[in-house]
Structures are given as structure tokens and as C-alpha cells.
């Protein structure tokens, strides 16, 4: 059970099989702290020599080698024999070695408020593609931690760390950073914020290496008829603390995530807002939070429950008008629910939290008027009356890390975009809630069960005139949410059956972009505490993600490596990409009241499929992986690239 505090800063327990269970709600845990206070100090037995390789199952990424695996549990070159390698950029001195730069080699110890700060200078080589490689080695005991990378004031990547073993873990993550090309072409302050704590209990130092490889693949990697080029300008919506060597994210709701842009370019022909959010504390497991009216239902037996309902909406506002929304993907970090679910196969997006793209081009007639404009990111849940009435709340519990960016494509310098703004401010979502609280014979609240459905449609159409085009420009979204959930056993057990699906589209005279997505989550978790304080956790967690993307996406779709190497031909008129994955797991955990040791094991099975969507006929499968693990060991692993098996 996720909210139980197993290890506090005041305990120093031995363990045979660590996995740090995250906990934030304070009230019920004082008793565990007291029970644990007499614990023994850790005695670690002789370490195994090789660290465990952890990984997030993901499609390959384009590097100078071609379509490249993202973790060492797969063979280095994934493509079949007919893959043609890409040339890495030669530096201007004519050397033929890949143009690779070490951006950071750093140990994160007590690094709250102490990010790595470096000066980035663009390499002396021509490049139109950038890929980074983040490799981490950590041994000991540690929670999952949040890492955010900034170029100046702009967040470019948000990750989280895997939880170590006493004998060590290692992981790699490769990320295509081509979308940020305009930032990579300029000198930047690189800020890498990875908030770690090291003390007698939490011994894991995060030893990291971050490299960037610059290369040329334009003309080879282009899908969608070769029209895509990275944004000309990226405007960060952040606290702008990069020059001071500080992370620029907002901490919401303590801080309002608002930023005024004084000089939005008047010659913009397309603008896309991307949002990056991560729930922490009482918001980490927002998808299992209770209706706000029930936040105190289990005070007597469990403590305060995180509230504002299990629904969250991230809103993007332009000058106070709602421009679009993101209903977040419920990322389970590696300490989440029961840690043994997430090692060595970490959860979907745990190493790379995706950013929702919201096309704000319909706002260009307003944004290009030469005046200052204000952008705001708001996160809301629901307020309810204890029965069936619920409305969007104005805030959430603590807390969310939030940044945004505007990707802008420009016309010639003197061009001014004009037009007529369409009707703004869509109707609120439709919310259907029912809930039922039960008591035992002496009146203690024992269970709450609820059922929540939310749906929302929004659409804005403006007439936009740019240097080369004019016509109707539309952004539309249609989302649905359902969650049948409950809290049982006086607050200790949780059940959630959650589903979000949505479809977004941007259309205009020279732009098309469409995505559809669905993410189911089923979680059933129990916690049992004996009178001596012995704690048993158990969970079943099944989670899926299905995403289709077509048209002019800001971020890479994953097809780039397959197109650049000729595995699929750019001439094949591919319409887009399709990623489909699900993972199912069960895990248990036990720790006696004296906290003298802990044991646990998890079983995880993940199937991942990535392919190209054709204009007609079925999708072409390009990458498929079916991998299983039990008790930290891979028990089966089958990888296929373009229909062919690959062995490790
Ligand atoms: C990523 O970097 C690590 C350490 O710097 C290196 O060992 C590994 O081979 C790199 N991975 C790829 C795919 O280049
Ligand atoms: C991490 O780096 C520190 C030095 O900064 C070193 O003492 C430690 O052994 C390294 N940890 C691992 C697991 O290699
Ligand atoms: C049961 O829950 C309701 C709703 O939160 C609350 O008003 C009531 O005080 C609770 N009863 C007990 C005995 O805790
Ligand atoms: C009802 O639950 C409370 C809290 O767990 C407990 O103290 C009480 O004994 C229970 N009553 C009965 C009749 O079981
Ligand atoms: C949840 O788990 C409990 C304990 O294993 C089990 O009794 C119950 O049937 C499960 N519920 C569902 C809906 O799977
Ligand atoms: C895994 O979970 C998905 C979604 O709940 C379900 O459709 C599928 O049958 C499950 N597969 C296994 C092997 O449990
Ligand atoms: C609780 O843990 C202690 C210490 O390991 C053990 O002696 C005792 O039998 C356990 N009690 C229960 C109810 O599991
Ligand atoms: C898990 O693996 C560890 C170390 O190899 C072993 O000691 C333990 O017994 C295993 N647990 C289970 C439940 O198989």
C-alpha cells in the first residue's frame, strides 16, 4: 500500500531486498516510526559483482548507428542487416569521429537545491539531429528521485530514477532531442536538477553520465512527406532561473504557474504549447485520491486521505482563456504502489515523462499583436458535495512540478500574422459521480466506493493570415475519463479501475496534426499491519498505453530511426506511428515491526508494440518486445525488429 511509511529518516534498518515505499500522508505513520526506532543497522552481505540493468521498455531511437536500442538489455544495433548507418557529423577540422560531447559527469549526493550546472557551447560540427544518453549507476538504498534537465530556462527532459539494490543497478536512457534544435545551436546554461538525499539510511549516490551526440540525418529521417523541421524558437513558460544556475520549474499550487511573454514574435505561423507536469506528495497517486468530501472519512483509523477526487485536468490558458487541456498519464514511479513491481522493468514513462502538445495557433491573431501576453498552467481536480454533485476545483493538494514551452515556427522577419480570433472559452466538462460510504456496527467508516465519469469537448477555430497562407485554423480535443474506485478496510486497501481516452487534432491551411490515446490502469492493493507492527503489502497493477500520432508533431514519433535506415521507406506515405503497450504485475512485501529486515518479490510482464500506420491497410509492425521478470530477474525476453527476431 503506497502511503505506508516503511522507512523514515529516523530508522536505519537492515534489509535483504530493499525497495523504498513512498509515503507522504503524515497522520497514520507516527506509529510506524515509533515501532521502527529500535531497529538494527544495516549489515550488507558480500555484493554481487555486476549491477542489475534496469530499463523502460521503449521503441528504438535514431542515433548515428541507426535505429538504436535504449538500454543494455537489448543488443546494441537493433536493425536487420540491411540497415544503413547514418553519418555522424564530422567536426569542422574534418575528423570523422562522431561529434559527441560529455555534458555532465556528476555524482548526486545531497543535491536538494544543488543542481549540476554546466556551460554548454554548441559543437563545431554541422548537425540537424541531437540524441542524449543518460547513464546512471547507483548502489545502496534510495527512493525514486525526480530529475529535470534544462537548457537555460527551458525544461527539455523530465525523468525519474530507479530504486537500487545493495549490489547496484545501472540504466541508460537515450532521448532524441532534435525538437530542441534552436536551443542546441546557442550557448546555454545546462541545469540538471536531481534531488537526492544521502544519510545513514539512504546510502545510494546517483553516479551519472550525460552525453550528447550531434549528427546529420535530414532528408533521411523525415516522415510525413519531409515537411517537418524543428521549431525556429522555443519560449519557456517557467520561472526563468537558468542564468542563476537554478531549476526553473514552478511548484504548484504554492506558486502560480504564470509567465508573461513581452515580445511574442509577430511573424509566427504556428505555435504549439507543451506542458510537463509531475505529481508529488499527496498528488503522486492522484488517480487513487478520494472525493474531496471523504478526505477525512478515515481520520480515526488511517489518517487524512489525499482528496480532490481521482481526476486531474491540466489547463493551458492564454490571457486567461482556456486554450487546451491535458488529462495526465498516470506514471507509476519505481517506488510506486509496491516497489517490487518496478524492478528491473520500470513503469511506462518512468524515465521519460511525455509532454502533451496543445496547438495554440488559433490564438495567433491575438498573440501576434505586439502586446505582452500571459500564459498560465493550472491543475485542477474536483470538489464534491458528498453525493453526486461535483465541479472542477480551483486547486489541488501539494504538489505538482510544472513547466511549459511554446514551440514557434516563424515567417520572414517583417511579416505580421493577423486574422480573426474565434469564439473562446468552451463549456465545462460533464461530470457524473456516485459514491457510497459504509460503517461497521459501531459506526467507524469502513469503506468508500465511488464511480466517476468525466467527458469534455473543446474546439477553437480562428481565421489566421500568415505570410504564405490564410484560412481556418482549428484546435480540437475530445476526452473521456472513468474511474471505479474504492478504499476498503478502514483506509488500508485501495481498488481503482481507471481509463482515459482522447483525441486531439490541429488543422490549418498548412498544418495537420492528430493524435489519439488511451490509458487503462487497474490497481488493487492491500496493506496489513499486525498488532506488533508487522507490515504486509500486496498489489496487482495492470497498466496500458496506446498512442497514435500523425502529421506535424513537435516531438519525435519514434519512426525516425526506421525511416533514416531505410527499414521503412519515406516514399511509403506513412500516415503516422502507433505505440501500444500493456504491463501486468503483482508484488508483495513484508517487514516485521522491528524493521530488522524486509523481503518481497514482484512479477511483471510487459508487451510492447510499435509500428507505422499506413493510409490503408493494417499498421506495419516495426518493433515488438515481450519481456517478463520475476524477483529482479528477466525470465523471458523476445525482441523483433521489422518482423525479424533479434537475440541479445
Ligand atoms: C551510453 O553511455 C554509456 C556510458 O557513457 C555507454 O556505456 C553506452 O554504451 C552508451 N550507450 C549507447 C547506446 O551509446
Ligand atoms: C559513485 O561515485 C563515487 C564518487 O563520486 C564513488 O565513491 C562511488 O563508489 C560510486 N558508486 C558506484 C556505485 O560506482
Ligand atoms: C465518516 O466519514 C464522513 C465523511 O467524510 C465524516 O463526515 C464522518 O465524520 C466520518 N465518521 C467517522 C466516525 O469518522
Ligand atoms: C469498527 O471499527 C473500529 C475501527 O477499526 C473498531 O475500533 C471497532 O471495534 C469496530 N467495531 C466492530 C463492531 O467491529
Ligand atoms: C483485490 O485483491 C483482493 C486480495 O487479493 C482480492 O480478494 C479481490 O478479489 C481483488 N479484487 C479485484 C476486483 O480483483
Ligand atoms: C493484462 O492486463 C490487461 C488489461 O487489464 C488485460 O487485458 C490482459 O488480459 C492482462 N494480461 C494478463 C496476461 O494478465
Ligand atoms: C511479527 O514479527 C515478529 C518479528 O519478526 C515475529 O516474531 C512475529 O511472529 C510476527 N507476528 C505476526 C503476527 O506475524
Ligand atoms: C528472490 O531472490 C533473492 C536473491 O536471489 C532470494 O534470496 C529470494 O529467496 C528470492 N525470493 C523469492 C520469493 O523467490
Amino acid at each position: 500500500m503506497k502511503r505506508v511509511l516503511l522507512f523514515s529518516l529516523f530508522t536505519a534498518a537492515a534489509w535483504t531486498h530493499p525497495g523504498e515505499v513512498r509515503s507522504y500522508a503524515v497522520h497514520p505513520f507516527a506509529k510506524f516510526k515509533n515501532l521502527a526506532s529500535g531497529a538494527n543497522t544495516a549489515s550488507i552481505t558480500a555484493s554481487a559483482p555486476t549491477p542489475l540493468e534496469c530499463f523502460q521498455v521503449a521503441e528504438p531511437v535514431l542515433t548515428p548507428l541507426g535505429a538504436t536500442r535504449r538500454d543494455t538489455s537489448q543488443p546494441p544495433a537493433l536493425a536487420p542487416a540491411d540497415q544503413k548507418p547514418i553519418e555522424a557529423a564530422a567536426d569542422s577540422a574534418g575528423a570523422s569521429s562522431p561529434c559527441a560531447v560529455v555534458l555532465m559527469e556528476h555524482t548526486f549526493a545531497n543535491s536538494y537545491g544543488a543542481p549540476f550546472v554546466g556551460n554548454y557551447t554548441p559543437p563545431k560540427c554541422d548537425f540537424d539531429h541531437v540524441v542524449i544518453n543518460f547513464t546512471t549507476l547507483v548502489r545502496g538504498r534510495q527512493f525514486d528521485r525526480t530529475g529535470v534537465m534544462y537548457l537555460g530556462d527551458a525544461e527539455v527532459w523530465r525523468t525519474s530514477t530507479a530504486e537500487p539494490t545493495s549490489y547496484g543497478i545501472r540504466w541508460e536512457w537515450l532521448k532524441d532531442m532534435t525538437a530542441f534544435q534552436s536551443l542546441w545551436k546557442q550557448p546555454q546554461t545546462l541545469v540538471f536538477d536531481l534531488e537526492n538525499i544521502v544519510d545513514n539510511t539512504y546510502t545510494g549516490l546517483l553516479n551519472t553520465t550525460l552525453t550528447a551526440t550531434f549528427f546529420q540525418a535530414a532528408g533521411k529521417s523525415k516522415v510525413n512527406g519531409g515537411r517537418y523541421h524543428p521549431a525556429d524558437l522555443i519560449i519557456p513558460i517557467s520561472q526563468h532561473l537558468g542564468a542563476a544556475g537554478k531549476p526553473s520549474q514552478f511548484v504548484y499550487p504554492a506558486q502560480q504557474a504564470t509567465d508573461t511573454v513581452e515580445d511574442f514574435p509577430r511573424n509566427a505561423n504556428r505555435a504549439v504549447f507543451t506542458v510537463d507536469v509531475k505529481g508529488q506528495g499527496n498528488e503522486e497517486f492522484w488517480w487513487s485520491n478520494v472525493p474531496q468530501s471523504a478526505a477525512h472519512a478515515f481520520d480515526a483509523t488511517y489518517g487524512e486521505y489525499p482528496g480532490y477526487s481521482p481526476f486531474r485536468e491540466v489547463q493551458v490558458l492564454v490571457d486567461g482563456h482556456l486554450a487546451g487541456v491535458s488529462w495526465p498519464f498516470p506514471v507509476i514511479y519505481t517506488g510506486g504502489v509496491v516497489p517490487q513491481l518496478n524492478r528491473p522493468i520500470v513503469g511506462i514513462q518512468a524515465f521519460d515523462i511525455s509532454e502533451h502538445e496543445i496547438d495554440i495557433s488559433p490564438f495567433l491573431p491575438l498573440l501576434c499583436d505586439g502586446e505582452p501576453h500571459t500564459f498560465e498552467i493550472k491543475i485542477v481536480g474536483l470538489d464534491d458535495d458528498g453525493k453526486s454533485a461535483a465541479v472542477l476545483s480551483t486547486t489541488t493538494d501539494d504538489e505538482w512540478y510544472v513547466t511549459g514551452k511554446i514551440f514557434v515556427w516563424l515567417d520572414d522577419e517583417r511579416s505580421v500574422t493577423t486574422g480573426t480570433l474565434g469564439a473562446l472559452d468552451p463549456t465545462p466538462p460533464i461530470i457524473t459521480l456516485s459514491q457510497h460510504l459504509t460503517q461497521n456496527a459501531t459506526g467507524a467508516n469502513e469503506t468508500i466506493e465511488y464511480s466517476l465519469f468525466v467527458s469534455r469537448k473543446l474546439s477553437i477555430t480562428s481565421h489566421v493570415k500568415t505570410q504564405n497562407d490564410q484560412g481556418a485554423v482549428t484546435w480540437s480535443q475530445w476526452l473521456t475519463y472513468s474511474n471505479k474506485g474504492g478504499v476498503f478496510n478502514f483506509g488500508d486497501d485501495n481498488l481503482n479501475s481507471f481509463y482515459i481516452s482522447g483525441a486531439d487534432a490541429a488543422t490549418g491551411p498548412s498544418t495537420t496534426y492528430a493524435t489519439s490515446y488511451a490509458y487503462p490502469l487497474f490497481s488493487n492493493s492491500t496493506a496489513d499491519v499486525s498488532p506488533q507492527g508487522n507490515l504486509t503489502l500486496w498489489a496487482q497493477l495492470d497498466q496500458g498505453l496506446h498512442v497514435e500520432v500523425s502529421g506535424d508533431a513537435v516531438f519525435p514519433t519514434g519512426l525516425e530511426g526506421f525511416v533514416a535506415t531505410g527499414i521503412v521507406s519515406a516514399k511509403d506515405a506513412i500516415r503516422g506511428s502507433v505505440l501500444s503497450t500493456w504491463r501486468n504485475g503483482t508484488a508483495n512485501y513484508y517487514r516485521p515491526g522491528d524493521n530488522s529486515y524486509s523481503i518481497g518479490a514482484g512479477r511483471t510482464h510487459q508487451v510492447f508494440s510499435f509500428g507505422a500506420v499506413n493510409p490503408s491497410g493494417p499498421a506495419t509492425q516495426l518493433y515488438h518486445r515481450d519481456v517478463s521478470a520475476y524477483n529482479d530477474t528477466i525470465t523471458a525476453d523476445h525482441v523483433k525488429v521489422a518482423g525479424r527476431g533479434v537475440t541479445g
Side-chain angles (χ1 to χ4, degrees), residues 210-380:
L210 178 69
T211 56
T213 303
F214 301 85
F215 60 108
Q216 289 196 286
K220 292 182 183 166
S221 72
K222 285 185 175 171
V223 290
N224 192 29
R227 290 198 316 204
Y228 175 79
H229 66 94
D232 299 304
L233 176 71
I234 297 170
I235 303 174
I237 299 303
S238 74
Q239 291 214 68
H240 300 274
L241 299 174
K246 290 183 178 169
S248 287
Q249 70 192 0
F250 299 102
V251 179
Y252 179 92
Q255 293 171 319
Q256 213 182 335
T258 303
D259 195 3
T260 298
V261 177
E262 300 290 340
D263 50 357
F264 194 92
R266 303 197 69 186
N267 56 336
N269 64 48
R270 185 176 184 224
V272 179
F273 197 106
T274 68
V275 276
D276 215 333
V277 300
K278 181 175 187 275
Q280 308 262 124
N282 280 355
E283 294 287 309
E284 178 171 352
F285 302 100
W286 55 269
W287 47 268
S288 66
N289 284 15
V290 296
Q292 180 66 10
S293 62
H296 294 285
F298 304 104
D299 277 8
T301 49
Y302 178 89
E304 184 177 349
Y305 241 83
Y308 291 107
S309 88
F311 172 78
R312 290 295 176 273
E313 174 171 272
V314 181
Q315 303 177 335
V316 172
L317 297 112
V318 177
D319 289 339
H321 301 290
L322 186 66
V325 298
S326 168
W327 289 5
F329 176 77
V331 185
I332 311 289
Y333 303 99
T334 64
V337 186
V338 176
Q340 280 75 11
L341 289 165
N342 309 307
R343 191 169 60 212
I345 314 174
V346 308
I348 302 165
Q349 293 189 13
F351 287 161
D352 200 348
I353 299 159
S354 83
E355 299 181 40
H356 205 118
E357 300 182 18
I358 292 165
D359 196 310
I360 56 168
S361 301
F363 284 86
L364 288 178
L366 174 67
L367 294 172
C368 297
D369 64 1
E371 299 293 318
H373 293 285
T374 298
F375 297 86
E376 182 173 8
I377 301 163
K378 247 169 133 167
I379 305 170
V380 300

Side-chain angles (χ1 to χ4, degrees), residues 301 440-442 444 490:
T301 49
N440 71 0
T442 43
F490 305 95

Side-chain angles (χ1 to χ4, degrees), residues 35 312 492 514 524 530 568:
L35 283 170
R312 290 295 176 273
D492 280 345
N524 183 3
S530 78
V568 292

